[in-house]
Amino acid sequence: MALIVQKYGGTSVGSVERIQAVADRVLQTVKAGNALVVVVSAMGKSTDALVKLAHEVSANPSRREMDMLLSTGEQVTIALLSMALQELGQPAISLTGAQVGIVTEAEHTRARILHIQTSRIEKQLKIGKVVVVAGFQGITSTEELEITTLGRGGSDTSAVALAAALRADCCEIYTDVPGILTTDPRLVPEAQLMTEITCNEMLELASLGAKVLHPRAVEIARNYGVPLVVRSSWTSDPGTWVVSPKPQPRPLVDLEIARPVDGVELDADQARIALLRVPDRPGIAARLFSEIARQGLDVDLIVQSIHEGNSNDIAFTVTSSLLRQTEAVAAAIAPVLRSHPDPKSEEAEVMVQPHIAKVSIDGAGMIGRPGVAAQMFSTLAEAGVNIQMISTSEVKVSCVIDASDGDRAVAALRSAFGVGDERIEVKGQGDKGDKGDKGDKGDKGDEEEKTTNYQLPTPPVRGVALDINQARLAILQVPDRPGLAARLFGLLARENISVDTIIQSQRCRIADGVPKRDIVCTVAQMDAAAAKQALEQAASEHGWGQVVVDTAIAKVSVVGAGMVGQPGVAAKMFAALAREQINIQMIATSEIKISCVVAQEQGVAALQAIHAAFGLSGSGAIQVSA
């Protein structure tokens, strides 16, 4: 007998008829010889209706009372589903999060799960009952026994956490699409279904706005090795499996707040190339990186920050063995990129730094925890290590530092995050391989045709995601010395503001004898005003300058583990945007992701263009239920 946890979202239980259809599916699963725990959301849009009621009564309802109110939505569903099962002759019992024993931290509206007391569920399963659990909610372990909710996507989180705690054979997430698709079928009806996807790829897609799974649920599945499948509530199709690596052993106590960092990596064999004051016109960087890709050269990190005047800076890293060849390509193409033929022009100046290292921390536990990156920056600052470049993803934060600081940086990070020897990785020459060309600017002109001639041997991109709910935060003239990035992001962490993309400009300016750089990051739109206010209040104390916010942006990203070692991926992405006359405002990369910031009104067109460019569309349209 297999133990299965199933989760049904609000659309799947949005009416009495749909609840009865879910009961039929549950009964079929039980008749197949399985023990079953079912986690459900509130019916349809009932949570939205409760939120509306709250704001009709109070302009600023307390978070505690919101939890009391919103937790009632799931209670309606669990009772109705249990009744429907009983009508079919299947014994069932409904349990709230508190009755199940889902114990959380005392953070109303955004609690994380500490542990789950599974004895009551196990007792009911032994006597043949289906246990129907209210998702999205829990209870504190304090004397007050406060009801808490888990925040957006909380039912996904409840289901996977229960599967981990019960050591279930699998967790099935039922939704209104047939599985995980190459992009949002509401925007691209021809999106294709994936049969499987890695946890790391799913973490990136989920965190970039793909709503089929919440990143916290994927994080738990990755950490505890929970077999996870996403299926349609309306068909018997197999859906998409989310594949987890073999997990490191970890206790089920502090389930969601356990150690956020699993490993520390050092690549001590890198060099950096930067092109400074590149004219800010379409197609410039595409020509550079397409030529690098044509030479079969692998590029690791690439950063392009906001433009300064009519020019921009592009910086990227390669392994030391590729430095001479890559520098030659950059030097050869630099004159072509300039606006003026004058050989003495400072435009597209090529600068090389041969002895650098990349130090990284990784772990799925970083998700949604504002203090992790800040702690990394603070740790490096205390060790006297200056950060030259920053690259972030959902499961990794990487910093480029001087090669001579590598060992000291690893030792400091290992101590700060409690990482053992077995989770320290030091890379030498030729170990990485990566995307080869991950950078561009506003590619709108005729030059994009030079980037379209690559034959990618295997599909490098699994999915394309669009996030239109972010804002760009530019902190200008930050003193370039150890500790300033730590203070800046530590300040945001104390305000509980999560930061997504972080880019540090390559151009260093001297002001009053102090070298300064700009730092740009993206945050949720709802946090932008608070972030700006906090940083402006601290500007005089820490010495940074103006804080500029832009909320009219969209971030479009491609994700795929297969892009490692395949030059030409970014060139193909940027050419697709160029054909649609979409200007690229920022670029950031990680090992399995390339993200571009574009104007918000062009976000959907950007998504559609990129999805088509990588041949991700299927032959038929995906039907999404209302």
Side-chain angles (χ1 to χ4, degrees):
M1 176 186 291
L3 172 57
I4 298 173
V5 176
Q6 293 183 343
K7 178 262 177 178
Y8 294 90
T11 304
S12 303
V13 292
S15 66
V16 169
E17 292 75 20
R18 289 184 175 181
I19 288 174
Q20 290 171 331
V22 168
D24 289 335
R25 185 187 288 270
V26 168
L27 184 60
Q28 292 172 17
T29 306
V30 174
K31 286 183 175 179
N34 302 296
L36 199 59
V37 175
V38 182
V39 178
V40 292
S41 300
M43 293 176 63
K45 301 292 185 181
S46 60
T47 299
D48 293 340
L50 291 172
V51 171
K52 182 180 178 182
L53 281 174
H55 286 282
E56 288 177 358
V57 172
S58 171
N60 187 27
S62 76
R63 290 166 55 190
R64 180 190 183 276
E65 301 308 329
M66 287 300 294
D67 277 357
M68 289 292 286
L69 177 65
L70 298 183
S71 64
T72 64
E74 282 72 22
Q75 288 181 238
V76 173
T77 315
I78 60 174
L80 292 175
L81 180 55
S82 295
M83 293 174 192
L85 286 167
Q86 291 162 7
E87 283 296 304
L88 296 174
Q90 171 59 48
I93 183 172
S94 62
L95 297 173
T96 66
Q99 290 172 319
V100 165
I102 298 177
V103 179
T104 76
E105 60 187 357
E107 285 285 343
H108 287 294
T109 73
R110 59 188 182 199
R112 289 183 180 267
I113 298 172
L114 299 179
H115 60 274
I116 301 176
Q117 299 165 352
T118 59
S119 57
R120 186 170 186 182
I121 294 181
E122 291 166 343
K123 179 181 178 181
Q124 297 297 325
L125 291 172
K126 284 180 181 177
I127 60 177
K129 289 186 178 181
V130 171
V131 181
V132 184
V133 179
F136 178 65
Q137 61 183 248
I139 195 166
T140 66
S141 59
T142 61
E143 292 182 4
E144 291 80 8
L145 298 178
E146 290 288 315
I147 292 174
T148 56
T149 62
L150 308 182
R152 188 177 68 84
S155 292
D156 287 351
T157 305
S158 299
V160 181
L162 278 165
L166 292 165
R167 293 178 171 83
D169 293 279
C170 76
C171 180
E172 301 174 347
I173 305 291
Y174 287 91
T175 184
D176 54 1
V177 292
I180 298 166
L181 304 170
T182 50
T183 196
D184 187 344
R186 298 167 183 84
L187 302 177
V188 183
E190 299 78 21
Q192 289 188 71
L193 177 69
M194 304 182 217
T195 57
E196 68 176 31
I197 187 172
T198 67
C199 264
N200 281 355
E201 289 170 325
M202 191 65 241
L203 279 169
E204 296 284 9
L205 287 171
S207 300
L208 290 165
K211 298 178 177 64
V212 68
L213 269 178
H214 194 275
R216 283 170 61 186
V218 184
E219 173 191 3
I220 297 170
R222 181 183 188 269
N223 285 346
Y224 291 94
V226 176
L228 182 61
V229 62
V230 179
R231 291 178 174 155
S232 170
S233 296
W234 325 116
T235 72
S236 57
D237 294 342
T240 305
W241 285 93
V242 181
V243 181
S244 301
K246 185 177 180 180
Q248 294 291 317
R250 63 175 68 218
L252 286 163
V253 178
D254 291 340
L255 194 145
E256 275 203 280
I257 62 169
R259 187 179 66 205
V261 174
D262 287 330
V264 177
E265 298 175 5
L266 175 68
D267 188 341
D269 186 34
Q270 290 209 336
R272 180 176 64 172
I273 298 175
L275 273 76
L276 306 182
R277 295 175 295 278
V278 175
D280 188 24
R281 67 170 187 260
I284 291 293
R287 297 192 63 177
L288 168 65
F289 288 100
S290 63
E291 185 59 36
I292 290 173
R294 262 190 284 273
Q295 299 295 327
L297 302 172
D298 286 338
V299 174
D300 189 4
L301 303 182
I302 294 178
V303 296
Q304 177 187 300
S305 188
I306 54 175
H307 68 84
E308 182 176 336
N310 295 319
S311 68
N312 211 324
D313 303 330
I314 304 172
F316 56 95
T317 64
V318 296
T319 57
S320 297
S321 61
L322 299 179
L323 174 59
R324 183 172 298 179
Q325 190 177 358
T326 311
E327 181 185 2
V329 172
I333 202 170
V336 181
L337 304 181
R338 295 169 183 152
S339 301
H340 307 287
D342 184 358
K344 296 182 179 180
S345 171
E346 292 185 347
E347 286 187 321
E349 177 187 2
V350 179
M351 295 189 66
V352 174
Q353 185 178 1
H355 302 298
I356 63 168
K358 182 179 73 173
V359 64
S360 308
I361 56 174
D362 68 80
M366 299 180 187
I367 295 172
R369 302 185 191 183
V372 177
Q375 185 179 356
M376 179 186 190
F377 302 152
S378 176
T379 299
L380 294 177
E382 291 171 2
V385 176
N386 197 34
I387 299 169
Q388 301 177 22
M389 290 173 65
I390 298 169
S391 172
T392 61
S393 76
E394 288 307 315
V395 295
K396 180 175 285 191
V397 181
S398 299
C399 296
V400 170
I401 60 176
D402 192 272
S404 62
D405 293 331
D407 291 341
R408 188 163 72 254
V410 168
L413 293 171
R414 172 189 171 185
S415 175
F417 291 105
V419 176
D421 287 340
E422 72 281 0
R423 297 294 296 146
I424 303 293
E425 182 178 357
V426 178
K427 298 181 181 180
Q429 291 190 356
D431 289 358
K432 306 189 313 318
D434 218 324
K435 294 181 271 291
D437 67 317
K438 303 178 296 187
D440 203 3
K441 299 165 60 59
D443 292 353
K444 299 186 293 190
D446 295 334
E447 293 163 330
E448 82 264 15
E449 292 303 320
K450 296 183 174 63
T451 70
T452 60
N453 299 323
Y454 303 116
Q455 298 297 316
L456 304 178
T458 59
V461 172
R462 303 300 309 283
V464 185
L466 175 67
D467 189 344
I468 59 172
N469 297 311
Q470 290 201 340
R472 182 173 59 208
L473 202 66
I475 306 95
L476 307 182
Q477 298 191 26
V478 179
D480 185 28
R481 59 175 181 263
L484 260 295
R487 293 177 196 172
L488 192 158
F489 292 105
L491 179 65
L492 296 180
R494 287 192 294 275
E495 297 293 326
N496 202 37
I497 296 172
S498 292
V499 175
D500 186 12
T501 303
I502 301 172
I503 298 176
Q504 181 173 264
S505 69
Q506 296 308 294
R507 200 179 310 186
C508 189
R509 296 177 301 279
I510 306 298
D512 299 324
V514 178
K516 296 187 176 185
R517 301 181 190 271
D518 300 336
I519 293 180
V520 184
C521 63
T522 56
V523 300
Q525 283 182 359
M526 63 182 181
D527 291 331
K532 184 175 189 291
Q533 181 179 8
L535 291 172
E536 286 180 337
Q537 290 175 347
S540 59
E541 177 185 355
H542 298 298
W544 53 70
Q546 185 181 6
V547 180
V548 181
V549 172
D550 184 359
T551 58
I553 65 165
K555 184 170 72 173
V556 62
S557 306
V558 296
V559 173
M563 65 176 70
V564 173
Q566 292 199 31
V569 177
K572 199 177 191 74
M573 178 182 184
F574 304 144
L577 296 176
R579 285 190 292 271
E580 298 300 318
Q581 300 294 300
I582 296 172
N583 191 40
I584 300 170
Q585 300 178 15
M586 283 172 55
I587 299 168
T589 68
S590 70
E591 275 90 346
I592 65 170
K593 178 180 71 176
I594 309 169
S595 295
C596 294
V597 170
V598 300
Q600 190 176 64
E601 66 270 15
Q602 295 180 310
V604 173
L607 174 77
Q608 294 168 339
I610 294 168
H611 190 269
F614 284 98
L616 298 178
S617 296
S619 56
I622 297 292
Q623 298 297 320
V624 180
S625 300

